[in-house]
Amino acid sequence: MAIGLFILAIIIQLAVVLAIFLLSLSRVTGSVVALVTIIVTAIISPWSLFLGIPIALLCLVLLVTPIRQSLITKPVYKALGGAMPSMSDTEREALDAGTSWWEKELFMGAPNWDTFASYSYPKLSEEEQSFIDNEVEVLCAMLDEWKIQHEDKDLSPEAWQFIKSNGFLGLIIPKEFGGLEFSSYAQSRVMSKIASRSPTAAVTCMVPNSLGPGELLMHYGTDEQKQRWLPGLAKGDEVPCFGLTGPEAGSDAGAIPDTGVVCYGMYEGEQVLGLRMNFSKRWITLAPIATVVGLAFKMHDPEGLLGNPQKTDYGITCALVPASHEGVIIGPRHNPIGSPFMNGTVDGKDVFIPLDYIIGGVENAGRGWRMLMECLGVGRGISLPALSTSASEMTYLSVGAFAKVREQFKISVGKFEGVQDATSRVASNTYMLEAFRHLVTCGLNQGGTPSVMTAMAKYYATETMRSVVNDGMDIAGGRAVQMGPRNFLATPYQAIPVSITVEGANILTRSLMIFGQGAMRCHPYLFDELQLLQSEDKEGALKQFDNLFFKHLGYTFNRGAKAFVAGYVGGSSHAPSFADTFTRPYYKHINRLSAGFALTADMALGLLAGDLKRKEMLSGRLADIHGHLFITTAILQFYEHGTKSEAERLHAEVALKNSFYTIQEAFLSFFDNFPNRMAASVVSFVTFPSGRIFTPPSDELKRQLGDTFMDDFEANPFRDYLKTMVYYNTEADDVTGRMEHAYQTLLNIEPLWQKFKKAEHKDSFEGLTFEDHVVYASQKGDITEEEAEVLIQYNALRFDSLLTDVFDKHLVKAQERNNPHSLENAVQQLTDYAQLKNEAQAKHGIVTNSEITSDKLAASDSVDEKIGDANPNHGYESDGDVEMVSEQNTVEEVRAQTNFGDTNPDAEALDHRHRDAASHLNERMSNNHSLNKTHTDKTSINPIESSDHSKIPEDLVIAKDEEEKLPTADTSDTKWQDGLRRDENDKV
């Protein structure tokens, strides 16, 4: 009995302590509750005081201020103050720069889902949508990236003029200054669509709207500076660039050696107070054509001319200088990995500028680093993620089409599991990027400068794009490797290093910025504590630190208690009001992992202190946890506003599983490598008591998504949606339209094509070539003349879409590719193989194939002879089925084959050209391929005695103008319907 009461008392004590932490009671309230509990449990069992007395002593220490400060606060303050490195003004401004948004909720371990649900989902205004549908569409049609990159090394003069005169350089500038004043989401959409056509043009338009002086002027410029520069920037009369990086300063931009010294000098004939500038900038986009140059430099006032002799070093400052200013040297161009966007150097030696060239005037001297961190940080969340999303979406569309059209081993390459391992990544990662773009721009649309979120956006968007494009290259193989005007994937592949490097190199961004700055901006107490540790007034700082430190401890124990409970019973069930049965479990996982992250981050910050700055591998893993927590919420928000179709659910599920698995592995890797093994073991046990709980997507999920990846329209609404995000076309001679044209044609004739190909692979037809087989099948009545035409035409499109470019021996000029299967060349592919074979067989008394069966095509799907993906032992899904002409017996079937709206029997009867080229081919060459069904006449009735096609009369050659009159399988000029570019006769 006594033992039972003792156990009960101990359980009560531990439960109360856990409740105190879970309820986040204050220091005083929690201590009082604990003391009362100890007294009550002592009555139940005096032996419980073995645990109760230490708890009581701790409570008394916490309640008595002098004892608390002497035993805890002062030693901690001294230890942390010695462990933390001193901060320069520049570092302090960088850490304090920017605001926070949803990423702070996730960092703090208790996301408010009501807040999340209230976020306004980003949408385009009518004006923004019109601009994308018209101006952006026109610009994209003007761009030929192969010509830009390999011939002109620049945008065409017409494209440049169109960009300038239509406001592409002034998307962010307010309308009062002549700009378009678009939302962050609209900017992202504009850049994505341009990038889908030409990364060179996209970078050209991107820089003035993110890295250019316009953003700095809008937020910090004086009224005079705004009036002087913004109207010209909006109209394109002024072309800006911003000089930050140089030979000695890349990622460590705070170490720039460029200087501006306060002195007197001559300006416009008068002696004025200004700056003597010396600078050398490299890798500056738009520099070669810039008319105005933004410069970042370190400002010094050794003589105290600004009125404060005590302040000689002001720190990083930003100024705006006309490119034509005396002494400014716009140097030659760089060649950034072959992408010919304007990029070059800016130099100046002893260049004198007046003080009013400083952005914002003298009052902003020394505030340049903060200005750059806030304003340029916003650009990181828009431009490069937009380009990355665009590259991934074009990869999804083009590679998906390729995977469907390209056949090997008798099936589409997209059906192979090895390929589906890659295509499922392309699909899920593209879905993630589009979702990520929406949540990031949602935050930017609300104002503020969330620097941590934009750093996440830049890093994870560009790295994911690298993975997507690499997978696309693997899938497309030689079709993507061979350079030329036909290559739809090499351009984004080639540009990957640019995205990875600019606007904060990715290694630096992940290992230092995301968690380092995130801890400062997102932690509720850390930055204020750091300020107190660095304070010169130690006595006053200690009193404030005492209060702040114990609030911090309460926060840490609260998150630890939540993580502990979640580890055994799952995370909190809190979720947005719109959560459904599919998404609700994921919100629960996020609640659990967010609490675990808050506890883990506090352990790292508390035990490593300033050393964490050098533990970049650990910091990088914490960044992965924080970043992917944000990404999972983005996926869930995007799914909520999507179609919620089975296909979209597949995309979302695979993307979510990938992110949760990444978070888990980052946690466990962090614990495995944390220097304090005991602390790591305790926190690991609290957060993952049962070990790993997440697994990557299963093979079955990846197979399903790999199949969906090759679908379109209602079978895959996400692919249909992507067409509205990029410059989409189905032009047969376009770099991206060519493959899409073949793909869309295949979708419309797929049952017929699959049926025919299966029969062909079973040797159901006589002849050596595809054209032989089509003619044979047509003459046998297995397919109609119209079906023969469709097969020949699609085969020509298919073959053309798979052709790669060839060049002259100097690789200067791409040569025109001949398509041997085009309708005008199809007659050249016919052989007399069938005739010769049947004559020989008849001569030797051998039963011919035609006598064995007259309906071999109809039997091509018999159970015992299935091949390809129709073979149940093959492991692939069966393709669609179709009834051949011999099987179409009912009135309904005949009616279904007729489009009465397009029929004009009177005109057709009078116009011999209505008989298409394939029908002519069938009719005119029938003698060459007809079989002697009676086998009594062993002489050929074919007037053409040899296979030498040079002897074929000219009227047997299909004229080019006849080919152009051929109808295609729903590939007419495209029009917009319901926001999607669809074919005019599309019945889907």
Side-chain angles (χ1 to χ4, degrees):
M1 181 68 177
I3 294 176
L5 291 175
F6 170 72
I7 294 173
L8 175 63
I10 294 297
I11 290 174
I12 291 173
Q13 289 178 357
L14 293 175
V16 169
V17 170
L18 182 62
I20 289 171
F21 292 152
L22 283 173
L23 296 173
S24 195
L25 299 181
S26 68
R27 173 172 49 84
V28 174
T29 304
S31 298
V32 171
V33 170
L35 288 172
V36 171
T37 302
I38 290 167
I39 295 172
V40 172
T41 53
I43 296 173
I44 296 174
S45 173
W47 292 103
S48 67
L49 291 175
F50 279 108
L51 178 62
I53 288 175
I55 295 176
L57 290 175
L58 179 60
C59 290
L60 291 173
V61 169
L62 294 176
L63 289 171
V64 181
T65 301
I67 298 177
R68 181 180 71 252
Q69 290 184 352
S70 176
L71 294 180
I72 300 177
T73 306
K74 287 182 180 179
V76 169
Y77 184 84
K78 184 177 181 180
L80 290 177
M84 297 300 296
S86 60
M87 280 194 303
S88 66
D89 290 340
T90 298
E91 287 180 308
R92 185 175 288 105
E93 284 198 350
L95 291 174
D96 192 33
T99 59
S100 57
W101 189 60
W102 176 244
E103 72 280 8
K104 183 172 184 177
E105 294 278 344
L106 296 168
F107 188 100
M108 292 173 59
N112 187 327
W113 295 113
D114 292 333
T115 299
F116 182 75
S118 69
Y119 290 147
S120 179
Y121 193 68
K123 295 180 180 178
L124 297 173
S125 68
E126 289 185 10
E127 179 186 5
E128 292 166 344
Q129 184 68 65
S130 175
F131 187 82
I132 290 173
D133 291 344
N134 294 285
E135 284 85 349
V136 179
E137 185 82 5
V138 171
L139 175 62
C140 288
M142 299 170 66
L143 301 170
D144 180 343
E145 188 67 3
W146 175 262
K147 193 171 185 293
I148 292 169
Q149 285 206 11
H150 299 276
E151 297 177 18
D152 299 341
K153 308 295 183 182
D154 191 7
L155 301 178
S156 68
E158 295 78 15
W160 268 115
Q161 186 56 47
F162 190 85
I163 287 171
K164 292 178 180 179
S165 60
N166 285 275
F168 283 87
L169 305 184
L171 299 179
I172 64 172
I173 295 175
K175 291 183 178 180
E176 63 182 293
F177 297 106
L180 294 176
E181 200 173 352
F182 279 179
S183 66
S184 297
Y185 178 60
Q187 295 172 48
S188 177
R189 288 284 303 275
V190 168
M191 295 306 161
S192 278
K193 188 164 183 175
I194 298 172
S196 70
R197 192 62 173 171
S198 167
T200 303
V203 172
T204 300
C205 297
M206 174 187 86
V207 169
N209 292 293
S210 60
L211 287 169
E215 182 88 16
L216 294 172
L217 284 171
M218 286 162 50
H219 289 87
Y220 302 103
T222 64
D223 289 339
E224 292 78 10
Q225 289 172 337
K226 291 178 182 178
Q227 293 294 338
R228 164 66 181 85
W229 294 110
L230 289 180
L233 291 170
K235 295 177 183 176
D237 296 335
E238 303 285 357
V239 178
C241 71
F242 195 90
L244 177 59
T245 54
E248 301 293 340
S251 296
D252 185 15
I256 54 177
D258 311 289
T259 59
V261 179
V262 180
C263 63
Y264 283 97
M266 297 300 295
Y267 176 70
E268 294 184 347
E270 297 182 8
Q271 190 176 45
V272 298
L273 191 61
L275 296 167
R276 183 71 59 187
M277 305 280 294
N278 287 280
F279 51 88
S280 180
K281 303 293 186 181
R282 297 294 180 270
W283 318 309
I284 311 305
T285 300
L286 295 187
I289 59 167
T291 62
V292 56
V293 180
L295 291 171
F297 58 93
K298 288 183 176 177
M299 180 171 160
H300 305 276
D301 183 15
E303 300 179 70
L305 297 177
L306 295 180
N308 185 359
Q310 302 298 320
K311 188 172 184 178
T312 59
D313 296 325
Y314 280 77
I316 295 177
T317 303
C318 295
L320 206 56
V321 182
S324 58
H325 191 81
E326 183 179 357
V328 175
I329 302 171
I330 299 295
R333 290 176 65 179
H334 291 306
N335 186 3
I337 208 163
S339 186
F341 60 87
M342 289 293 170
N343 189 269
T345 65
V346 181
D347 292 278
K349 184 173 179 61
D350 293 331
V351 177
F352 181 79
I353 64 172
L355 288 177
D356 59 10
Y357 276 16
I358 296 175
I359 297 177
V362 179
E363 293 77 8
N364 274 342
R367 297 190 64 204
W369 191 238
R370 184 186 186 94
M371 292 159 61
L372 292 171
M373 290 298 295
E374 291 185 345
C375 291
L376 304 188
V378 173
R380 280 203 302 267
I382 299 175
S383 299
L384 286 172
L387 269 62
S388 299
T389 303
S390 171
S392 298
E393 291 174 345
M394 289 305 296
T395 301
Y396 187 114
L397 292 170
S398 297
V399 173
F402 174 87
K404 181 81 169 179
V405 171
R406 176 66 164 159
E407 295 180 1
Q408 293 286 272
F409 305 103
K410 305 178 182 179
I411 58 172
S412 296
V413 296
K415 286 285 189 178
F416 290 96
E417 281 196 10
V419 174
Q420 288 179 332
D421 191 33
T423 57
S424 64
R425 286 195 300 268
V426 172
S428 59
N429 282 334
T430 302
Y431 189 86
M432 181 274 276
L433 283 174
E434 188 61 45
F436 199 16
R437 181 242 293 273
H438 274 78
L439 187 57
V440 170
T441 53
C442 175
L444 294 175
N445 280 348
Q446 295 189 1
T449 54
S451 53
V452 177
M453 179 187 74
T454 55
M456 289 179 182
K458 192 273 174 178
Y459 174 78
Y460 292 103
T462 55
E463 287 294 340
T464 303
M465 176 267 293
R466 170 157 44 185
S467 171
V468 169
V469 176
N470 278 338
D471 278 330
M473 291 292 292
D474 288 349
I475 297 162
R479 180 66 178 84
V481 168
Q482 296 300 332
M483 293 289 288
R486 290 171 169 266
N487 195 313
F488 53 78
L489 202 54
T491 295
Y493 180 79
Q494 190 175 6
I496 287 173
V498 175
S499 298
I500 297 298
T501 304
V502 301
E503 295 194 38
N506 277 9
I507 291 176
L508 168 77
T509 301
R510 174 179 178 266
S511 60
L512 286 177
M513 290 184 63
I514 294 176
F515 181 76
Q517 198 170 16
M520 295 297 109
R521 298 307 314 151
C522 299
H523 197 286
Y525 307 109
L526 187 61
F527 185 75
D528 292 336
E529 288 173 327
L530 196 58
Q531 295 285 77
L532 292 172
L533 290 172
Q534 302 272 330
S535 174
E536 295 181 0
D537 180 11
K538 299 299 181 183
E539 186 175 345
L542 182 63
K543 293 180 180 178
Q544 297 180 59
F545 183 80
D546 178 57
N547 182 52
L548 205 60
F549 176 68
F550 283 98
K551 285 184 178 180
H552 187 160
L553 280 181
Y555 163 84
T556 302
F557 284 122
N558 172 260
R559 271 38 178 187
K562 287 184 175 181
F564 176 78
V565 172
Y568 288 94
V569 301
S572 164
S573 59
H574 292 163
S577 56
F578 52 69
D580 57 23
T581 54
F582 169 65
T583 60
R584 191 171 296 280
Y586 293 113
Y587 287 111
K588 195 170 185 178
H589 290 323
I590 293 171
N591 290 331
R592 172 182 179 172
L593 294 171
S594 178
F597 175 60
L599 175 64
T600 304
D602 258 14
M603 175 191 72
L605 292 166
L607 296 181
L608 295 181
D611 281 345
L612 187 57
K613 183 178 180 179
R614 291 176 285 276
K615 299 289 185 182
E616 295 180 17
M617 295 184 189
L618 294 178
S619 179
R621 294 183 181 105
L622 293 172
D624 288 341
I625 297 170
H626 196 190
H628 277 276
L629 281 172
F630 190 91
I631 286 169
T632 56
T633 61
I635 295 168
L636 291 168
Q637 184 202 54
F638 187 68
Y639 175 81
E640 174 60 29
H641 290 85
T643 63
K644 294 191 177 180
S645 63
E646 183 60 32
E648 185 166 354
R649 182 171 174 172
L650 262 178
H651 285 79
E653 186 173 2
V654 174
L656 286 165
K657 284 182 176 292
N658 282 330
S659 282
F660 281 118
Y661 186 73
T662 299
I663 292 169
Q664 171 184 268
E665 296 307 297
F667 264 119
L668 298 179
S669 240
F670 178 89
F671 296 140
D672 288 343
N673 291 278
F674 195 73
N676 189 320
R677 301 306 308 140
M678 185 175 72
S681 298
V682 170
V683 176
S684 176
F685 174 74
V686 169
T687 52
F688 290 92
S690 60
R692 286 177 167 83
I693 57 176
F694 301 109
T695 58
S698 66
D699 290 352
E700 178 58 28
L701 263 182
K702 290 190 282 189
R703 280 194 295 268
Q704 292 177 24
L705 186 54
D707 285 337
T708 302
F709 177 69
M710 295 185 290
D711 291 333
D712 202 358
F713 301 113
E714 66 264 20
N716 184 6
F718 182 63
R719 188 183 198 277
D720 219 22
Y721 166 84
L722 293 183
K723 300 173 193 175
T724 67
M725 298 290 108
V726 299
Y727 180 75
Y728 175 81
N729 76 94
T730 56
E731 301 296 330
D733 59 351
D734 183 82
V735 58
T736 56
R738 179 179 288 108
M739 183 60 71
E740 186 70 9
H741 182 52
Y743 169 77
Q744 293 295 340
T745 303
L746 174 58
L747 291 184
N748 284 315
I749 68 158
E750 187 172 14
L752 171 64
W753 177 256
Q754 294 295 341
K755 188 85 170 184
F756 182 83
K757 292 298 287 184
K758 287 176 183 179
E760 186 180 49
H761 290 317
K762 290 184 63 177
D763 296 326
S764 298
F765 311 127
E766 297 286 2
L768 297 178
T769 67
F770 178 86
E771 287 76 9
D772 283 342
H773 297 164
V774 170
V775 171
Y776 181 95
S778 177
Q779 291 168 348
K780 293 287 294 177
D782 295 320
I783 59 175
T784 65
E785 289 184 356
E786 289 73 16
E787 288 169 337
E789 171 206 331
V790 167
L791 289 170
I792 290 177
Q793 186 178 41
Y794 169 68
N795 189 55
L797 294 176
R798 178 198 63 81
F799 189 84
D800 182 68
S801 72
L802 300 174
L803 285 175
T804 55
D805 290 285
V806 294
F807 293 81
D808 60 89
K809 65 179 181 179
H810 299 294
L811 297 178
V812 174
K813 185 71 174 176
Q815 307 295 312
E816 185 175 351
R817 293 310 311 265
N818 177 56
N819 185 354
H821 298 289
S822 65
L823 287 173
E824 63 181 352
N825 292 329
V827 68
Q828 309 297 329
Q829 302 304 311
L830 294 169
T831 71
D832 56 1
Y833 173 84
Q835 172 193 337
L836 296 175
K837 176 181 177 181
N838 281 280
E839 287 177 354
Q841 288 178 335
K843 180 177 179 180
H844 293 89
I846 300 173
V847 178
T848 64
N849 288 341
S850 60
E851 291 178 311
I852 296 173
T853 178
S854 61
D855 57 349
K856 197 169 185 178
L857 181 61
S860 63
D861 286 330
S862 59
V863 175
D864 58 337
E865 292 187 279
K866 288 185 181 292
I867 63 166
D869 41 345
N871 186 341
N873 298 318
H874 197 292
Y876 299 99
E877 289 187 0
S878 299
D879 290 294
D881 200 0
V882 67
E883 289 184 337
M884 294 303 166
V885 66
S886 60
E887 301 171 303
Q888 298 170 1
N889 301 319
T890 69
V891 173
E892 288 77 9
E893 288 170 333
V894 173
R895 186 186 303 275
Q897 302 300 313
T898 307
N899 188 339
F900 293 98
D902 293 341
T903 300
N904 189 343
D906 294 334
E908 291 168 10
L910 296 174
D911 188 357
H912 70 279
R913 292 175 297 178
H914 179 75
R915 304 277 320 265
D916 55 80
S919 298
H920 283 208
L921 177 72
N922 186 2
E923 178 182 353
R924 293 171 179 172
M925 300 305 294
S926 61
N927 289 336
N928 187 43
H929 285 265
S930 60
L931 299 178
N932 188 344
K933 298 185 179 182
T934 63
H935 302 286
T936 56
D937 183 1
K938 297 183 180 181
T939 61
S940 174
I941 61 172
N942 187 357
I944 303 175
E945 296 296 332
S946 94
S947 60
D948 183 358
H949 294 294
S950 64
K951 299 180 182 179
I952 299 174
E954 290 185 5
D955 65 337
L956 296 188
V957 179
I958 302 172
K960 179 66 175 175
D961 61 341
E962 291 190 44
E963 176 192 0
E964 293 172 350
K965 297 179 187 299
L966 285 174
T968 62
D970 286 337
T971 54
S972 58
D973 290 339
T974 52
K975 293 186 178 181
W976 287 101
Q977 294 181 6
D978 301 325
L980 297 177
R981 185 183 289 272
R982 298 271 183 88
D983 295 335
E984 184 177 5
N985 297 321
D986 193 354
K987 301 300 190 296
V988 179

